[in-house]
């Protein structure tokens, strides 16, 4: 009994002064290697990194908020941020940034920074960025008579047509029908917003979204992409290397995967290109993860010190080397490691043209719904017009509570 | 009187545990199903509304819910008879005097039951891969065109049913085997002396005496199969085109992925009512049958 009590006391004593930092995914291991330097310069702060699997992250966060057991700080996908802001879980950071010399807002890619602002308040500092663009087989393109990757949809369509041979099970591009990022990237290239009236209703019946959906669905109807989900494609890298797909619309982590998984002889045959837009290089998705501090934390000052440390360009470059996650600061990209990397450069280019998704807590759900309806259009169950109307109908239902809350807040005022 | 009090005294701990861990959560879920508890309510209880039967009304108007209910019934209607047939067949084979290496086969056929569903599902996903899977390879040898097992909305559910039947039949098999072994040998001897064939012995000795065991196994299987979740979760993530989304899967998505606990609780209550009705119907049918059979 005494032993147990002592043990418990010992454990709580150790936890009491540690800064608890939750990470989701492979970043946890990498950040653990960056921490010794931080703890050397801040001897009074002991950081305890707790790694959580990405698949359980969302549940874990909500449970922690419901049970009032949030950590001091965490890594957070920037599309989740509005949800946690709505839950009043995050501490505002504007004042700390204003007083800081280490974190300089103008140095960050503007749209990525904007994803951390909700109702004019800043709640997170971008940690790494993520956008989707084209991986392509330069040798296959050359064989088909194209010298450069596509710059707009017309060129892209022409290349997809030239590179698709459905009879031989060879397709221009791989677009898994259960991933929403691809269609969303095309939709963000349009001038119309995805939600309307202060994010109260869906705006999927806009001309712009229908244009994006038409391009997306046509790619399948013309048999330039196979109708498969990512569950069925167990090894997209090998298939890409084998030439089953000439294009792959995906994120920066795949640079590392392709370098690791493709044999040396094939390494010269692929590269990356910014996403082609309707007319000229187009916008893309502003994804990635931010560092946030929880409102309930008693160690917010220490948490901010760690955020400042992790935001330094040298530290971000080390982090890139460890994980392949791309830094959100322009000055971090000045290292030769990133500047001279041809495959990373396309991302640098794309990052200047990324657009954030609507900052509402329901967004993730709406995006998943959008993709489910789009998959039905791809399967031929719905026309583009019917699919757009169905998306609006479902989005309006998902946003019903938000409308009620906003209307109530207005009548109070 | 004191005996009564003593009985209560002994029962109290068990009742307390049942109350705290079963009754209160169930009642809580029922209450929750009359509210619109969601993310906003978690942030601030003032955002919680009492909606009475609103969630149930919304479910009735949601095609996705009807589709999920349909998929669940499809799974139960096809999966349960298949599963029972497979386990009865296996039990009879293992019980037969001709069977060799009984202990080995008993273990082998029971192995899928004790292996985790996730690990097995991953293996099956490879077996049923359209391009590289053994299933299509085998069909190819027979000269049959390859089937897009998990990618075609019409084939995904049958594939999942096959997987679930294969995974679960060993459990029922063991119970039925115990039932078969409990039938007195004299009955078979008497039947044989009267000149009954193997089929008639099965029809008139094994099956009637196995009746209660079969009923119990059927009820257990039905209530288990209504709670279809792990198989689509790992094999297809509810797809393609939501063709393998069961009611429980929908509830998981609504409740734990999107934190709409109000509507998820309503879904749980509906599923409970459906299962209750089906089990009650099965019990009633079976209690009527022996009377008719005897007459």
């Amino acid at each position: 009994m005494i032993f147990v009590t002592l043990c418990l006391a010992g454990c709580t004593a150790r936890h009491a002064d540690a800064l608890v930092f939750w990470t989701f995914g492979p970043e946890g291991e990498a950040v653990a290697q960056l921490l010794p330097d931080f703890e050397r310069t801040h001897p009074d702060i002991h950081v305890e990194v707790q790694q959580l699997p990405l698949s359980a992250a969302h549940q874990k966060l909500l449970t922690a908020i419901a049970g009032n057991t949030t950590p001091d700080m965490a890594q957070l996908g920037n599309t989740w941020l509005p949800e946690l802001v709505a839950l009043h879980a995050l501490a505002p950071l504007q004042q700390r940034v204003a007083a800081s010399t280490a974190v300089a807002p103008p140095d960050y890619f503007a749209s990525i920074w904007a994803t951390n602002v909700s109702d004019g308040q800043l709640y997170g500092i971008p940690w790494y960025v993520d956008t989707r663009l084209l991986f392509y087989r330069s040798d296959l393109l050359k064989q088909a008579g194209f010298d450069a990757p596509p710059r707009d949809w017309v060129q892209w369509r022409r290349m997809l047509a030239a590179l698709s041979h459905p009879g031989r099970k060879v397709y221009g591009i791989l677009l898994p029908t259960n991933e929403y990022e691809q269609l969303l990237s095309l939709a963000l290239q349009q001038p119309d917003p995805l939600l309307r009236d202060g994010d109260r209703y869906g705006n999927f019946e806009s001309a712009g979204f229908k244009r994006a959906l038409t391009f997306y669905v046509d790619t399948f109807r013309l048999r330039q992409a196979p109708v498969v989900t990512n569950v069925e494609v167990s090894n997209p890298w090998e298939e890409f290397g084998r030439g089953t797909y000439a294009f792959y619309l995906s994120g920066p982590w795949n640079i590392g995967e392709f370098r690791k998984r493709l044999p040396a002889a094939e390494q010269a045959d692929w590269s990356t290109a910014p996403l082609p837009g309707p007319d000229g290089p187009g916008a893309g998705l502003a994804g990635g993860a931010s560092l946030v501090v929880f409102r309930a934390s008693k160690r917010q000052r220490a948490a901010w010190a760690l955020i400042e440390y992790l935001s330094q360009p040298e530290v971000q470059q080390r982090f890139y080397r460890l994980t392949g996650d791309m830094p959100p600061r322009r000055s971090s990209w000045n290292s030769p490691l990133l500047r001279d990397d041809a495959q990373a450069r396309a991302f640098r280019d794309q990052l200047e043209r990324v657009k954030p998704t609507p900052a509402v807590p329901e967004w993730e759900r709406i995006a998943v719904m959008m993709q489910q309806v789009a998959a039905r259009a791809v399967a031929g169950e719905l026309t583009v017009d019917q699919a757009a109307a169905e998306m609006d109908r479902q989005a309006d239902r998902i946003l019903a509570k938000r409308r009620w809350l906003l209307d109530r807040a207005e009548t109070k005022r | 009187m004191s005996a009564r009090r003593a009985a209560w005294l002994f029962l109290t701990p068990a009742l307390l545990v049942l109350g705290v861990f079963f009754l209160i959560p169930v009642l809580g879920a029922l209450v929750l199903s009359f509210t619109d508890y969601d993310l906003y309510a978690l942030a601030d209880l003032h955002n919680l509304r009492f909606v009475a039967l609103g969630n149930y009304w919304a479910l009735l108007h949601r095609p996705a819910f009807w589709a999920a209910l349909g998929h669940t019934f499809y799974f139960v209607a096809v999966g349960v008879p298949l599963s029972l047939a497979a386990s009865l067949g296996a039990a009879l084979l293992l019980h037969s005097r001709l069977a060799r290496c009984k202990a080995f086969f008993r273990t082998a056929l029971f192995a899928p039951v004790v292996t985790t569903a996730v690990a097995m599902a991953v293996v099956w996903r490879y077996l049923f891969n359209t391009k590289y899977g053994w299933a299509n390879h085998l069909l190819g040898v027979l000269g049959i065109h390859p089937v897009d097992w998990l990618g075609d909305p019409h084939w995904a559910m049958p594939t999942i049913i096959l997987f679930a039947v294969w995974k679960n039949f060993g459990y029922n098999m063991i119970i039925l085997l115990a039932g078969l072994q409990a039938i007195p040998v004299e009955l078979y001897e008497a039947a044989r002396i009267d000149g009954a064939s193997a089929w008639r012995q099965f029809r008139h000795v094994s099956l009637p005496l196995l009746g209660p065991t079969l009923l119990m196994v059927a009820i257990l299987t039905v209530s288990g199969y209504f709670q279809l979740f792990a198989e689509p979760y790992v094999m297809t993530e509810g797809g393609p085109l939501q063709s393998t989304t069961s009611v429980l899967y929908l509830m998981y998505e609504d409740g734990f992925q999107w934190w709409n606990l109000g509507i998820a609780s309503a879904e749980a209550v509906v599923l409970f009512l459906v299962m209750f009705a089906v089990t009650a119907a099965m019990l009633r049918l079976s209690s009527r049958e022996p009377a008719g059979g005897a007459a």
Side-chain angles (χ1 to χ4, degrees), chain B residues 69-94:
Chain B
L69 203 61
H71 301 148
T72 310
F73 269 105
Y74 177 18
F75 181 74
V76 172
V78 179
V80 171
L82 268 182
S83 174
L84 288 184
S87 32
L88 186 60
L92 284 171
L93 277 178
L94 281 181

Side-chain angles (χ1 to χ4, degrees), chain A residues 241-321:
Chain A
R242 218 179 279 159
T244 312
Y245 316 108
F247 292 107
Y248 184 31
L249 212 173
S250 193
W253 66 91
N254 270 325
I255 292 183
E257 294 292 333
F258 280 129
R259 284 182 186 162
K260 198 164 59 190
R261 290 168 187 262
L262 294 186
E266 291 174 20
Q267 287 296 344
D269 295 340
W270 67 276
S271 193
T272 57
L275 212 53
D279 5 68
L285 190 69
S290 300
L291 296 167
V292 297
V293 179
F294 283 87
R295 200 183 281 266
S297 164
K298 293 191 187 72
R299 285 171 289 271
Q300 297 193 7
R301 192 192 297 267
W304 179 252
L306 180 56
I307 290 181
E308 281 190 317
Y309 168 75
L310 292 173
S311 302
Q312 292 169 20
E314 309 84 66
V315 180
Q316 292 196 342
Q317 284 157 7
R318 278 178 65 192
F319 186 63
Y320 168 72
R321 223 165 309 164

Side-chain angles (χ1 to χ4, degrees), chain A residues 64-337:
Chain A
I65 293 164
N68 213 3
T69 54
T70 48
D72 296 302
M73 61 181 286
Q75 158 198 5
L76 199 65
N78 57 16
T79 47
W80 290 358
L81 200 111
E83 196 173 337
L84 266 73
V85 171
L87 290 169
H88 311 297
L90 304 182
L93 298 174
Q94 193 64 55
Q95 283 183 332
R96 292 191 190 275
V97 171
S100 170
T101 51
V103 178
D107 193 28
Y108 285 79
F109 295 110
S111 291
I112 298 288
W113 185 267
T115 59
N116 294 281
V117 178
S118 187
D119 290 330
Q121 266 286 2
L122 179 76
Y123 289 99
I125 304 296
W127 192 21
Y128 64 84
V129 290
D130 168 14
T131 184
R132 303 295 150 108
L133 45 56
L134 281 185
F135 291 78
Y136 68 97
R137 284 282 302 268
S138 42
D139 56 332
L140 294 180
L141 251 64
K142 207 160 279 168
Q143 276 172 31
F146 302 104
D147 297 335
R151 287 178 62 80
D152 59 39
W153 284 6
V154 178
Q155 288 181 3
W156 197 10
R157 179 66 75 212
R158 209 179 307 138
M159 291 184 195
L160 287 172
L163 291 161
S164 300
H165 307 283
R168 283 195 281 127
K169 301 227 178 263
V170 169
Y171 299 91
I173 188 168
L174 172 63
L175 297 169
T177 54
N178 61 342
E179 290 180 2
Y180 64 72
E181 287 85 354
Q182 289 83 356
L183 172 58
L184 188 58
S185 300
L186 300 179
L188 285 168
Q189 299 180 334
Q190 311 296 333
D192 314 75
L194 290 157
L195 303 178
R196 63 183 169 88
D197 294 351
D199 297 339
R200 280 176 167 83
Y201 296 94
N203 194 28
F204 295 101
E205 280 173 288
S206 66
F209 184 80
K210 281 189 189 173
R211 196 156 48 229
L213 185 60
T214 306
F215 186 86
Y216 181 79
V217 171
D218 278 352
T219 308
F220 293 96
R221 292 223 176 123
L222 297 167
R223 300 183 70 190
Q224 294 166 355
V227 185
V228 293
T229 63
N230 62 11
V231 184
E232 294 157 71
V233 188
S234 41
N235 194 335
W237 309 281
E238 205 173 291
E239 303 258 4
F240 183 77
R242 218 179 279 159
T244 312
Y245 316 108
F247 292 107
Y248 184 31
L249 212 173
S250 193
W253 66 91
N254 270 325
I255 292 183
E257 294 292 333
F258 280 129
R259 284 182 186 162
K260 198 164 59 190
R261 290 168 187 262
L262 294 186
E266 291 174 20
Q267 287 296 344
D269 295 340
W270 67 276
S271 193
T272 57
L275 212 53
D279 5 68
L285 190 69
S290 300
L291 296 167
V292 297
V293 179
F294 283 87
R295 200 183 281 266
S297 164
K298 293 191 187 72
R299 285 171 289 271
Q300 297 193 7
R301 192 192 297 267
W304 179 252
L306 180 56
I307 290 181
E308 281 190 317
Y309 168 75
L310 292 173
S311 302
Q312 292 169 20
E314 309 84 66
V315 180
Q316 292 196 342
Q317 284 157 7
R318 278 178 65 192
F319 186 63
Y320 168 72
R321 223 165 309 164
L322 291 169
T323 58
D325 289 334
M326 308 216 149
R329 299 183 71 151
R330 293 188 179 92
S331 51
S332 303
W333 283 76
N334 289 339
S335 105
L337 182 73

Side-chain angles (χ1 to χ4, degrees), chain A residues 239 242 362 365 401 408, chain B residues 36 40 47 132 254 260:
Chain A
E239 303 258 4
R242 218 179 279 159
E362 294 90 348
R365 179 166 200 192
K401 180 93 175 232
R408 192 182 61 165
Chain B
D36 69 345
Y40 293 114
N47 297 333
Y132 313 111
D254 278 330
N260 283 324

